[in-house]
């Protein structure tokens, strides 16, 4: 369960050009709920900086640690970060 979420900053070049999309990340959540590792599963073509913005924000997230038999464990999770101009 997500405890702390930091929203990514919309890349300025993408914002000015009206580009939007979704970045899919695989994240490794530690036994303490911190993000240990991020891997881009699917990005947005064009080199607008969405992937870096998503990873930077997600690394600041905090989760309640997963447990197996009452013991905190590391777990991989897939998440989508949507970038949409409102």
């Amino acid at each position: 369960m997500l405890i702390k979420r930091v929203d990514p900053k919309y890349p300025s070049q993408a914002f000015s050009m009206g580009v939007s999309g979704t970045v899919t990340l695989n994240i490794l959540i530690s036994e303490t709920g911190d993000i240990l590792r991020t891997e881009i599963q699917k990005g947005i073509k064009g080199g607008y900086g969405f992937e870096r913005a998503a990873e930077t924000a997600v690394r600041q997230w905090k989760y309640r640690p997963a447990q197996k038999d009452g013991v905190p464990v590391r777990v991989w999770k897939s998440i989508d970060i949507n970038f949409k101009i409102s």
Side-chain angles (χ1 to χ4, degrees), residues 19-40:
V19 179
S20 61
T22 301
V23 175
T24 302
L25 298 173
N26 285 333
I27 59 173
L28 179 59
I29 304 167
S30 75
E31 301 88 347
T32 61
D34 296 321
I35 306 303
L36 295 177
R37 189 170 167 189
T38 60
E39 294 179 355
I40 297 171

